[in-house]
Structures are given as C-alpha cells and as structure tokens.
Amino acid sequence: MPRRTIFKKILIITLMLSLLPLVASSLILLLNLESTSSRLTSEIGDKADIQALESLQMRASQVAENMAALLRSCENDLIFLSRSQLDTSTLLNFYGSRKGEIWYRTGGIPSPIEVRDQLPLYRNIALIDRNGREKLVITDGTITPSTELRNVSNRSETEFLNEDYFERVRKQPGKIYISHLTGFHISKNDQLNGAAEPEDALDGKLYKGVIRFAAALFDNHGNFNGAIVLSLDHRHLMEFTQHIDSGHNFSTVFPSYKSGNYAFMFDDEGWIITHPKYWDIRGVDHLGRLIPPYSESSGKSDIENGRIPFNLDYAGFIHPNYPFVANQVRKHQSGFVDTTNVGGAKKIMAYAPILYSSGDYERYGIFGGITIGFQLDEFQNTARKGSRLINQQLGEHRQQSGVILLITSILAAIAAWALSGGITKPLLQLTEGAKKLAEGDISSRVTVTSTDEIGDLGKTFNFMAEELENRKNSLLATLDELQRSRIDILNERNFKASVLESITSAIVTISPTGVLTSINGVGQILFPYSTWIGRDYIEVFEDWPDVKDRIAEVLDKNSGFGRNSIIRRIDGETAYFDFGLFPIGSNGEMGITVTLRNETERERLRDETVRLDRLASLGKLSAGIAHEVRNPLTGISLLLDDLHDRPGFSSEDKEMLARALSEIERVERLISALLNYSSPVRTSFRMGDLTIILSDILLLMKRQAEKQGVQLNIELIDLPEFIFDPEKIRQAVINILKNALEMLDSGGIITITTDFNDTSVTLAVHDNGPGIDTESLPLIFEPFFTRKGAGTGLGLSITQRIIEEHHGTLTAVSDSYNGTTFRITLLRNIRET
C-alpha cells in the first residue's frame, strides 16, 4: 500500500510537472508565434518592397546614365566632324563606323522571329553650305542624288516640314545645336493595324524620328561656311527602354503595356519620346505642326484615333504623380511613386534624370528622364507568399502541439514509470548529435521514436541541423556568386582601363580638391614621373602654366569646361596640343577630367598641304607669265639686233646695244627655266645603274672643279641596279654639285658618297664651305629663293620635285663649322613605266 501511495504521489506529481508546464508553454508559444507571424509578415513585405523599389530605381538610374553617355558620344562625333576635313569618303567611312544593336521582331503572330542587327547610329548625315543648300547627304549608307537635295534654310523643305536647325546654327555659329525628338506622329490605328495590343502589332507602322545634332563650319578666315548635321535614329533611343521587363523575365524584345511592367523615356519638356505605344510619342502632323498633348480637353475623335501624344505636365488628370515626376526630374531628383496608366493598370514607377546640358537642354541641365513601372499586384507577391507560408507553418504547429498535448495527457500516467529512461535516452542522442554538429558534421541527425515533447525536441534538433546545412549551402552558393560578380567587376574594370590605355590622348583625372587621382599610359609618357597619383595638380603641371591656370579657374568656378589649343616649345621645336577640361558628375562635383592630345603631326601635314598648293599656283602663274613675256621679248631682241648691225652708231652705242642683247638672253634663259619648272618633262622610270650615272657626272664636273681649286673626294660603292629616271636624277645631282661649287668660289673639298640597303639607295654630297645660315636653310627649296646675285633660284626646287617624283627624300644639313650636306634617298621598288 505505501508503495502505491507513493506511486500515486509520484504519478500525480509527474503528471502535474509534465502537463502543466506543457500546457502553459504551448499557450505562450502559440501567442508568441501569432505575434511573430504578424511582425514577420509586415517586415517581409516592407523589406521586399524596399528591395524591389531600390532595384527599380537603380536600374532607372543606370539606363539614364547610359542614355547620357550616348548623347555625349553623339556630341563628340559632331565636334570631331566639325573640325575635320569633310569629303564624301570621310563621311561614308564615319557613317559606316557608328553602329548600334537593334533587337526587333519580324514575321507574324503567333510565331514572330527575333532579330538582333547592327544598324547605323545615325539615320542620316548632312553637309550644308552657307546658304542652307544641302551639298552632301548620306542616308541608309547611300548618297542622296543631287536632284533630291534640299534648301533647309526654308523650313518647309526640311524633312519634317518645320525644322529650324539651320537657322539656329547660323544665328549662334559658336554653339552646337541639339533638337528635341522630331518625327511624324504615329496614330493608334497606324501602329496596331488591326491588332489588339501593341505587343501583337507586327505589321503596323514604326515611328521614324530623329534628334538633330548640328554645328557650324567655318572657312580659313573664321567666317560661317555652312553646317554639319547628324540625325540620331530614334530606334536607338527605343533600345534603352523597349526591352525592359520589370516583372519576372527582366528583359523582353517588346514589353506588355497592359501589365504595366514597362519603361518609357520623356524629354525635358515632359513629352514622352520612347514608349510601347507609339501614339504616346511626341510628333508632328503632315504640315509639320506639333500635335497637342493628351489632356482633359482632348476630343473624343482624337482619343479614339490615338492622336494623343503624352506629356507628363498635362497628365495630372490621369494621375497627379505624372507632373510630379516631371518636376522632380527637372530638379535632378530620382525616386519612385504610385501611378495608374491610361489603361488603368496600377503600378509602382521608379524615375531618374538623364543629366545632359548641351544646346537647348541647358535650361534644366537634363535631356529628360527614365521611368520603369512595376505592376502593384506583382510588387506585393513576395509579402503575400511569406504571409501564407508563415500562417501555414503556424497552423501546422498548432495541430502538432494539440496532438502532442492530447497524447501526453493520456499516456502520462502509463509512461510515468518509464519517465527516467524515456528522458535519458533521447537526451543522450541529442547530446551526441550536438557534439557532432559542434565538430562540423552538419549531416548528423537523431533518431526520433516518440511523439512527445522529447520527440518534438528531437524533431526540432533535426530541423535545426537541416536548416544549418541549407544555410551553409546557401552561403557557399552566395560566396560563389559573389566571386563571379567580383570577376565580372574586375573584367569590366580591366576593359575600361584597356580602353583608356588605347586612347592616344593623355587622360588625367583630378579630384575637387585638386589632387590627381588617375593617369593613363599616354599621360605617364607625357609627364614621366612614377608617383603623380595623390599629388596636387600644381606639381604635375608645373611646366604647363596655361593648363595649370585653366584647371585652377575650373576648380574655383565650376565653369569653363571645353576644349582649346595650346602651343609649347619642346626640345627647341614648336608642338601643338589639343587641351580639354570636362566635368565628372554634375558641374564637376566629383572632379574633372583633363585631356591632352599632341596635334603637331596634323599641323605639319596642314602646313605641307598649304605649301604644295602654293607651289602649284606659283607654277601655273610662272608658266603664264613666261608665255606672255617671251613673244614681245623676241621682238625686242630682233629690233635691237637690227639696230646693232646698222651703220652710224658709235662704238659706245653699239656696246650698250650688245649689253642690252646680253641681258635679253639672260631673261630668255630665266623664261626657259620657268617653263621647265612649270611644265616638267614626264618622268620615265626604267632599270638603271646609278654608279655609272654618277661617274659620268663627276667626269663632266671635274674640269670646272679644278678651275675653282675644288677637290672632289669620291667614295662610291657598287650599287645594285634599280628603277629610276636616269636623266632626271642626272639633272638633280648636277644641280646639287653646281650649288656646292658656287659655295666654294675660293676652293674647298666636295665629298660624294653612296650606300644602300634592302629598300633604298642613299647619295650624299658634302662641301666644307661656309654653310647656309639658319634663317635661309628652311627656304632653300622654295622657288626663286637665291642667295646669289645671279641665278633663277629654281635649281634646288626642281631637284626636290624630281626626288619627290621618285617617292624619295631630299634633306639638307648645314652649319658654319662643318659645311653643308645634301642627302638623297631613293626607293628601290618603284614600278617601271
């Protein structure tokens, strides 16, 4: 009996100790789970909303930056062409080199074909003269026939019937002009062509618009001489927004307007310029008039026919956030709002400004804005799914807790005697499992054989171990993804660095405080110092005062950006540089970029072109004068000769007549030299031996050299035969030798040497005379330049032309100590004619 009594007490105590805490803990747990469920649902929804909004806003900002980069690229193209020598070949090559990818559909419903093509960036390029008449137009890679060229100074003759870009450029020739989007409006029926939705309209019309980039051209005197116009194809603007799907697909060839998951672009005036519905895009009618925007006062007929381009400033009656977004973008703000589109779809819309301040866009400092919409119902899917999952788990837990509580109540009395063993064994298993987990064996699980609290504890342990394993795998996957992202970022950084290193300009970036932050390879060559990074720009550009002063002005005033030319003396020679300052960020708030490009070679080529043009004009003028003078001069010579032979003249008179005849003969020789210079004999190339030619020349000149007391040192080697004009080379060498003999009127030494290699033959003539002064040396090859009292001044000019006809080079080096050396280099691979 006492044993039973104690058993009862133990049983009652055991039941109370087992059931009461279990019931109480279950109630508390259920209450806490209810509270946790509500809090988690709210937090999951808030976090998901914030992440989705930030993602949309980030994507809108990225698209806006890419669009701004395209505009700046077009502007740079325009500046490049406005400063280039423009001809048909140059413009065709430029047109073909500027392309971008267009992703579009072809075929028909229900199996359209997606195509990705590289199409020209510009719809057309036009070169316009000073009166507004098109001189050259390239459209779709072909040159427009002259019969189709227009006078764009007359607005009605422009492509869209009312464009003023030529007037604007002519009135402000120092500035570039960038138009707003211009194109004929596409109505709803034009686009749909019987289709129900825009994404099904494969056979409808396409919007064909352009943005004009125009700049003035100037002649050599700085006078207005016309304009160059680049017309950016609207299809490349559509590429920035048309393929954005903010839903599950992320990108698409054409978005669904009805879903609300699409993006569009608008300009600084609020007009939509890219949209899945082409009838929402700004445009003009067949008379060139801008079609009014969709507003509360729009007529029923216009609405039904889709003649209602969309302007955010007038769309407040659809939703007040549309004009709000336009105003925020003009303030350079980004963010997101709730809106409802014309089709009634409620959505979240992220927006970001396209920062650009050139031309007419200087007013607000923006080109426009990018918006990306996301359907509101889909936006909250994550929160709803999380709430359903939590409620489901909570319901399951309630059921399990109720079952466990019921079974425990029934079996507690029966199982009290085995309580110790029933508790000890599972606890040992849990302890062993915990040790394995602590040692890193996350695959360890305990065997659950009961359904009571100990069993729940075992299940919870297994659940915890499973969660740890899942989270470890998730973390490893995340680390792999981060590693791949890091590699992608490094690849992109290396790509950008490679692009910077391949540019021929020196590029230096400077922080707002004036500290150098980066410099490319060309810059390191131009400023050879290994530790410029982190130094003040004043140290870097110490020897470049013009650059240093401009940087100081820009950093102080946040203005003065742009390009100009500077001239420097480097190693005793004049060097020309193109110098530019450009902001990083808005108005240089993140610093400035400095560019320096050596333009010396381009300047040298320009000077050489001017010299050749001058020589050609001089030759024509000389030929004309020689022909006009020779005939009357011959008559005068005959008359004087006749007078000389007549009797009755004194010996003094006859001597004067003889001198006059002598001077006329000298003029005749000058005229013959002029004619030979202006109308040279055609070069006849053939295989020959230069050594034999030189030997004949030296034999011919030997007697004259001996008379003047000049010693000829001949150092000729056996030269291989090659193709040249023997007679003209003979004339060129004789001219140089005569010039050397004239320099040695009191005796001296002339040395003639030859040499050759695989591609050329070299002849050098050196005299030890007084040399040519520094001022005269650059002019010795100019026609009619002579330092002697007599002579035509054409000998060296003719010699230079002969060598140029052989595609060779003629150089002269001279000083008062070493004398003068003329060096002729002839190519060995000229074709025989």
Side-chain angles (χ1 to χ4, degrees):
M1 288 294 294
R3 290 173 60 89
R4 295 179 60 189
T5 303
I6 295 172
F7 176 78
K8 289 179 180 179
K9 290 179 180 180
I10 294 174
L11 184 59
I12 293 171
I13 292 172
T14 303
L15 289 173
M16 292 179 66
L17 291 174
S18 60
L19 293 179
L20 290 178
L22 182 60
V23 172
S25 62
S26 297
L27 291 175
I28 293 172
L29 181 60
L30 289 174
L31 292 175
N32 289 336
L33 287 175
E34 289 286 351
S35 175
T36 302
S37 172
S38 300
R39 188 169 65 255
L40 283 177
T41 300
S42 176
E43 289 181 0
I44 290 173
D46 293 342
K47 291 291 184 182
D49 291 351
I50 291 173
Q51 289 178 356
L53 290 173
E54 289 178 347
S55 176
L56 282 180
Q57 186 174 340
M58 185 181 301
R59 193 172 184 191
S61 298
Q62 182 63 49
V63 174
E65 290 176 4
N66 293 340
M67 181 62 203
L70 174 65
L71 295 171
R72 288 191 293 272
S73 175
C74 294
E75 182 178 338
N76 290 337
D77 286 347
L78 179 68
I79 294 172
F80 169 76
L81 288 180
S82 69
R83 297 177 180 177
S84 302
Q85 294 288 349
L86 301 179
D87 52 34
T88 303
S89 176
T90 299
L91 290 177
L92 282 172
N93 290 336
F94 175 86
Y95 181 87
S97 67
R98 299 301 193 271
K99 292 184 178 182
E101 184 180 84
I102 301 296
W103 184 16
Y104 61 94
R105 301 173 300 169
T106 185
I109 300 297
S111 300
I113 301 172
E114 295 183 13
V115 179
R116 295 177 185 264
D117 272 350
Q118 291 289 329
L119 299 181
L121 189 63
Y122 300 109
R123 184 176 171 191
N124 58 56
I125 300 177
L127 183 61
I128 304 170
D129 66 18
R130 69 184 62 181
N131 298 316
R133 172 65 63 179
E134 293 176 336
K135 295 196 299 183
L136 175 65
V137 177
I138 300 174
T139 303
D140 296 331
T142 60
I143 299 175
T144 302
S146 58
T147 55
E148 299 179 13
L149 298 179
R150 299 169 293 195
N151 183 358
V152 295
S153 64
N154 183 356
R155 292 188 182 187
S156 62
E157 290 191 31
T158 58
E159 182 179 3
F160 298 110
L161 307 179
N162 195 24
E163 297 181 81
D164 62 348
Y165 53 85
F166 181 75
E167 298 175 21
R168 297 285 299 277
V169 171
R170 183 164 55 183
K171 289 179 180 178
Q172 294 181 318
K175 296 183 177 180
I176 63 172
Y177 167 74
I178 304 162
S179 74
H180 287 81
L181 178 67
T182 307
F184 290 116
H185 183 258
I186 298 296
S187 69
K188 181 178 181 180
N189 293 333
D190 289 338
Q191 181 184 3
L192 295 181
N193 194 27
E197 298 294 338
E199 57 265 33
D200 300 326
L202 295 180
D203 300 324
K205 290 185 178 179
L206 299 176
Y207 183 94
K208 297 181 179 180
V210 297
I211 294 179
R212 309 280 192 194
F213 290 76
L217 301 176
F218 302 92
D219 59 20
N220 293 333
H221 303 291
N223 299 319
F224 177 75
N225 197 34
I228 180 71
V229 182
L230 304 179
S231 300
L232 177 60
D233 196 330
H234 175 259
R235 290 180 293 179
H236 291 283
L237 269 65
M238 289 290 290
E239 286 297 297
F240 284 93
T241 60
Q242 180 170 291
H243 307 310
I244 294 177
D245 183 353
S246 51
H248 300 295
N249 296 326
F250 193 74
S251 64
T252 180
V253 66
F254 199 94
S256 169
Y257 169 75
K258 194 172 183 180
S259 71
N261 295 334
Y262 62 88
F264 67 83
M265 187 189 305
F266 62 92
D267 62 20
D268 63 331
E269 296 178 346
W271 291 97
I272 285 182
I273 57 176
T274 69
H275 197 278
K277 296 192 308 179
Y278 297 160
W279 64 87
D280 278 358
I281 301 176
R282 69 179 292 169
V284 298
D285 61 16
H286 66 285
L287 297 177
R289 299 172 302 191
L290 187 65
I291 294 183
Y294 183 30
S295 64
E296 288 182 290
S297 60
S298 295
K300 182 178 180 181
S301 175
D302 288 339
I303 295 174
E304 291 177 350
N305 293 325
R307 294 183 79 256
I308 47 170
F310 205 88
N311 188 307
L312 271 64
D313 291 329
Y314 294 85
F317 71 99
I318 299 175
H319 198 287
N321 278 337
Y322 281 118
F324 172 78
V325 167
N327 289 326
Q328 287 294 100
V329 166
R330 293 186 185 112
K331 296 176 182 177
H332 298 190
Q333 299 294 316
S334 59
F336 42 81
V337 294
D338 296 334
T339 59
T340 303
N341 65 10
V342 178
K346 294 182 178 181
K347 60 181 183 177
I348 298 293
M349 188 171 74
Y351 59 88
I354 303 171
L355 301 178
Y356 185 70
S357 58
S358 295
D360 288 354
Y361 299 98
E362 184 178 5
R363 178 182 179 188
Y364 298 111
I366 62 165
F367 175 77
I370 297 290
T371 73
I372 302 178
F374 190 26
Q375 190 173 353
L376 196 59
D377 291 341
E378 295 184 14
F379 195 76
Q380 297 173 347
N381 275 346
T382 302
R384 288 196 291 268
K385 289 180 181 178
S387 177
R388 287 195 298 270
L389 180 61
I390 291 172
N391 290 332
Q392 180 181 352
Q393 293 293 328
L394 186 59
E396 292 177 357
H397 185 76
R398 290 195 195 98
Q399 292 177 0
Q400 291 176 359
S401 297
V403 171
I404 292 172
L405 184 61
L406 178 61
I407 294 174
T408 302
S409 299
I410 297 173
L411 298 178
I414 302 173
W417 61 272
L419 183 59
S420 179
I423 294 174
T424 303
K425 185 178 179 180
L427 286 177
L428 288 174
Q429 292 181 356
L430 289 173
T431 301
E432 186 65 25
K435 288 181 180 180
K436 291 182 179 180
L437 283 178
E439 292 171 357
D441 184 9
I442 60 174
S443 62
S444 175
R445 302 289 187 271
V446 298
T447 302
V448 180
T449 58
S450 62
T451 57
D452 56 9
E453 287 81 352
I454 299 299
D456 284 341
L457 185 59
K459 292 178 182 179
T460 303
F461 177 85
N462 289 339
F463 177 76
M464 179 187 68
E466 186 175 351
E467 282 294 307
L468 286 173
E469 185 175 7
N470 291 337
R471 293 192 181 189
K472 178 182 177 181
N473 294 334
S474 177
L475 285 173
L476 291 174
T478 302
L479 287 174
D480 290 340
E481 183 65 28
L482 288 174
Q483 183 66 20
R484 288 193 294 271
S485 299
R486 178 177 177 274
I487 293 173
D488 292 340
I489 292 171
L490 289 175
N491 289 338
E492 183 178 356
R493 185 188 68 182
N494 293 336
F495 171 75
K496 292 180 178 178
S498 176
V499 171
L500 283 177
E501 291 302 319
S502 66
I503 294 174
T504 58
S505 299
I507 299 178
V508 179
T509 58
I510 299 175
S511 71
T513 59
V515 175
L516 187 142
T517 56
S518 70
I519 182 169
N520 71 343
V522 178
Q524 293 175 2
I525 295 173
L526 193 59
F527 305 101
Y529 194 78
S530 60
T531 58
W532 283 132
I533 304 298
R535 290 180 175 264
D536 193 272
Y537 74 93
I538 295 176
E539 296 181 58
V540 181
F541 298 102
E542 179 65 28
D543 298 330
W544 298 69
D546 295 343
V547 175
K548 182 173 61 176
D549 294 343
R550 278 289 308 283
I551 294 174
E553 178 184 353
V554 169
L555 290 176
D556 182 48
K557 300 179 179 179
N558 286 332
S559 62
F561 298 106
R563 292 181 179 274
N564 65 304
S565 298
I566 59 176
I567 302 175
R568 286 180 54 79
R569 297 287 295 177
I570 298 178
D571 297 332
E573 297 184 358
T574 301
Y576 300 84
F577 288 88
D578 178 77
F579 166 51
L581 286 173
F582 305 97
I584 303 176
S586 177
N587 294 323
E589 62 183 13
M590 298 174 64
I592 60 175
T593 298
V594 181
T595 64
L596 278 168
R597 184 173 65 251
N598 195 327
E599 297 287 335
T600 305
E601 182 64 19
R602 179 178 293 179
E603 289 294 325
R604 188 191 68 76
L605 292 175
R606 185 182 66 80
D607 292 343
E608 181 66 15
T609 301
V610 172
R611 186 186 74 83
L612 293 176
D613 291 342
R614 186 172 70 250
L615 291 179
S617 300
L618 183 59
K620 293 180 181 178
L621 178 63
S622 299
I625 293 175
H627 281 292
E628 292 298 325
V629 171
R630 169 170 277 184
N631 291 334
L633 195 63
T634 301
I636 294 172
S637 177
L638 293 174
L639 291 173
L640 290 176
D641 189 53
D642 185 55
L643 285 174
H644 181 271
D645 294 338
R646 288 183 181 182
F649 287 100
S650 65
S651 59
E652 183 178 350
D653 291 338
K654 288 186 178 182
E655 183 180 353
M656 292 179 62
L657 288 173
R659 288 183 179 180
L661 288 170
S662 177
E663 290 299 316
I664 289 174
E665 288 177 359
R666 192 172 71 85
V667 173
E668 281 279 359
R669 289 195 298 273
L670 175 61
I671 291 172
S672 297
L674 284 173
L675 288 175
N676 288 335
Y677 178 75
S678 61
S679 301
V681 178
R682 183 176 181 272
T683 303
S684 177
F685 292 104
R686 61 181 180 273
M687 187 68 71
D689 189 335
L690 182 59
T691 303
I692 295 176
I693 301 295
L694 295 176
S695 299
D696 293 343
I697 293 172
L698 295 174
L699 182 63
L700 178 66
M701 303 297 293
K702 183 176 181 180
R703 184 175 295 277
Q704 182 178 350
E706 291 175 349
K707 287 181 179 180
Q708 294 183 212
V710 175
Q711 178 183 345
L712 295 179
N713 289 342
I714 303 170
E715 300 176 5
L716 304 181
I717 64 173
D718 291 333
L719 299 175
E721 290 190 352
F722 65 100
I723 297 173
F724 63 98
D725 186 327
E727 296 304 323
K728 287 203 171 186
I729 294 299
R730 180 191 299 273
Q731 179 185 357
V733 176
I734 290 174
N735 286 344
I736 293 176
L737 286 173
K738 284 184 175 180
N739 190 74
L741 287 171
E742 290 171 354
M743 299 293 290
L744 301 173
D745 53 358
S746 300
I749 300 174
I750 297 178
T751 304
I752 301 97
T753 60
T754 57
D755 197 4
F756 72 96
N757 56 31
D758 293 339
T759 60
S760 63
V761 173
T762 302
L763 166 65
V765 178
H766 172 75
D767 68 73
N768 63 346
I772 305 172
D773 59 86
T774 306
E775 291 77 11
S776 300
L777 187 60
L779 305 174
I780 60 175
F781 297 116
E782 295 292 330
F784 307 112
F785 176 79
T786 179
R787 298 178 300 138
K788 304 183 292 290
T792 63
L794 293 174
L796 289 179
S797 180
I798 292 173
T799 300
Q800 185 188 44
R801 185 170 64 188
I802 290 173
I803 301 306
E804 289 177 347
E805 289 174 353
H806 284 73
H807 304 290
T809 59
L810 172 60
T811 60
V813 179
S814 182
D815 60 63
S816 59
Y817 299 103
N818 300 314
T820 304
T821 301
F822 285 88
R823 186 176 302 276
I824 298 174
T825 302
L826 299 175
L827 299 179
R828 294 175 55 187
N829 57 353
I830 299 178
R831 293 184 179 179
E832 185 173 0
T833 58

